């Protein structure tokens, strides 16, 4: 089942890159919770479909171009680790962004139930219980 989780994590990443709320939500449980380091809500999270809509809206409002590039996915059973980077260009400012990026996605019933994002690969690995 866990290799299937990797495929779902890849589909979710592709949906985020397209800013496709419906496709993102199809990969998630109804109560999905996303902790985003790029759009931190003072330590809070985005929850459910409304949270996905808000998060993708924040990306759309902030970036003229935005793309998560995954270099590696790791199957961790009921979790999937992704290491890569975010590339983009700020809306209005035109500032180029190219920063390390990682996610730890928790799964429940074949869907993503929680995603934690990081701007440091070491931090991502530690959050997954792995060493650098």
């Amino acid at each position: 089942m866990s290799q299937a989780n990797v495929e779902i994590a890849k589909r979710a990443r592709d949906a985020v890159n397209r800013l496709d709320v419906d496709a993102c939500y199809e990969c998630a449980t109804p109560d999905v919770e996303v902790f985003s380091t790029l759009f931190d809500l003072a330590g809070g999270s985005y929850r459910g479909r409304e949270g996905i809509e808000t998060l993708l809206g924040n990306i759309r409002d902030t970036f003229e171009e935005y793309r998560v590039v995954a270099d590696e996915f790791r199957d961790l059973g009921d979790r999937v680790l992704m290491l890569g980077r975010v590339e983009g260009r700020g809306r209005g400012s035109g500032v180029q962004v190219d920063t390390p990026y990682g996610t730890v996605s928790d799964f429940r019933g074949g869907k993503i139930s929680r995603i934690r994002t990081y701007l440091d690969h070491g931090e991502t690995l530690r959050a997954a219980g792995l060493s650098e």
Side-chain angles (χ1 to χ4, degrees), residues 6-25:
V6 170
E7 294 307 315
I8 292 166
K10 288 178 180 180
R11 284 200 325 259
R13 184 266 332 261
D14 292 343
V16 167
N17 284 343
R18 295 189 313 272
L19 301 176
D20 184 335
V21 171
D22 292 331
C24 283
Y25 194 64

Side-chain angles (χ1 to χ4, degrees), residues 26-104:
E26 286 175 14
C27 298
T29 61
D31 63 343
V32 66
E33 189 170 21
V34 180
F35 295 87
S36 172
T37 54
L38 282 175
F39 298 98
D40 186 356
L41 296 173
S45 64
Y46 297 85
R47 293 179 187 264
R49 182 181 178 89
E50 183 178 309
I52 291 172
E53 290 171 353
T54 300
L55 178 58
L56 295 184
N58 288 345
I59 293 169
R60 186 177 294 108
D61 292 345
T62 304
F63 291 95
E64 188 170 321
E65 297 172 8
Y66 178 88
R67 184 169 76 126
V68 175
V69 178
D71 298 322
E72 176 182 0
F73 285 90
R74 292 191 197 176
D75 171 4
L76 303 177
D78 62 349
R79 291 176 297 151
V80 172
L81 173 104
M82 186 279 298
L83 297 175
R85 64 188 190 284
V86 167
E87 299 175 340
R89 185 162 36 99
R91 186 171 300 285
S93 71
V95 171
Q96 289 294 127
V97 174
D98 188 348
T99 187
Y101 187 74
T103 64
V104 178

